[in-house]
Amino acid sequence: MKILLVEDEPKVAAFLHKGLTEQTHTVDLAPDGLLGRRLALSNFYDLIILDQLLPGMSGLDVCREVRAHDAAVPILMLTALGETDDKIRGLDAGADDYLVKPFAFQELLARIRALARRRSENPNSQPALRLADLALDPSSKSVTRAGQNIQLTAREFALLNYLLRNQGRVVSRVDILEHVWETSFDTGSNVIDVYINFLRKKIDKDFSPKLIHTLVGMGYVMKEE
């Protein structure tokens, strides 16, 4: 899973980052609410772990803005505020779950698994992704461009899904390897280039405008020309 952790306490953030990465999750860390909001609104995450008391912008405000932007992403509020009214405010702001510090790490992992399971079981939790006349439906695993069905392999679909969720943002080869192949094998391999070319032949070659662009030395970006 790709997780956004918004936590301003350095020791807690380091502990969680280490523990979650050891569980094979990819973790982006934001030490304040403003950066947390920016990352959450510009990237795709499978889960957001959010403290409530944050510098720059409160966790409640971050939660509200993220929820207005994405109704599906699971949000786990992880905070020292444990009164009933605090929990109600967190859940009313859009959080799916609420865990009070101090906490047992195994309980956190169990709650993460429950949130991931709940999302995967909800066919309406992953809205269609669109760019120009290209549409990808994560629930039905279908892709169309200009109304035409595009047949993709499972890996091509996963790659296109990742590019579309990060449209307008340059993603590096390492980003793609970690989030699509879920590995960090030799970055000198040309497997990414091969699959990018596969996608271009299927969704760009016979259509306009071109949507997949290469930035030499930097990576790839999906956007309208």
Side-chain angles (χ1 to χ4, degrees), residues 84-189:
T84 299
D85 286 347
D86 296 319
K87 296 178 182 179
I88 291 172
R89 280 191 287 269
L91 295 171
D92 283 348
D96 298 283
D97 200 356
Y98 197 103
L99 184 60
V100 178
K101 300 174 183 175
F103 58 92
F105 186 67
Q106 290 303 317
E107 180 181 359
L108 173 65
L109 292 179
R111 289 175 182 246
I112 289 173
R113 290 193 296 270
L115 288 171
R117 185 166 59 248
R118 190 185 310 167
R119 186 179 196 187
S120 67
E121 291 171 353
N122 182 0
N124 297 316
S125 66
Q126 301 180 55
L129 304 171
R130 302 181 186 277
L131 178 61
D133 55 356
L134 174 69
L136 180 149
D137 188 334
S139 301
S140 63
K141 298 293 188 292
S142 62
V143 175
T144 62
R145 178 135 199 213
Q148 299 181 35
N149 289 322
I150 308 293
Q151 297 298 316
L152 301 180
T153 66
R155 187 69 72 183
E156 290 167 353
F157 184 89
L159 176 57
L160 180 60
N161 185 38
Y162 179 70
L163 292 173
L164 276 173
R165 290 188 182 278
N166 289 278
Q167 59 183 269
R169 170 177 172 260
V170 179
V171 293
S172 68
R173 295 160 58 90
V174 172
D175 290 333
I176 294 173
L177 286 171
E178 290 181 348
H179 296 105
V180 179
W181 271 260
E182 296 183 350
T183 184
S184 56
F185 61 77
D186 180 15
T187 55
S189 167

Side-chain angles (χ1 to χ4, degrees), residues 189-218:
S189 167
N190 71 339
V191 65
I192 303 298
D193 308 276
V194 170
Y195 273 86
I196 289 290
N197 285 332
F198 287 162
L199 276 185
R200 279 186 167 134
K201 288 178 181 177
K202 292 185 177 183
I203 69 167
D204 264 356
K205 181 180 178 182
D206 298 323
F207 301 94
S208 181
K210 305 306 179 189
L211 300 178
I212 302 176
H213 307 275
T214 301
L215 278 74
V216 178
M218 298 175 65

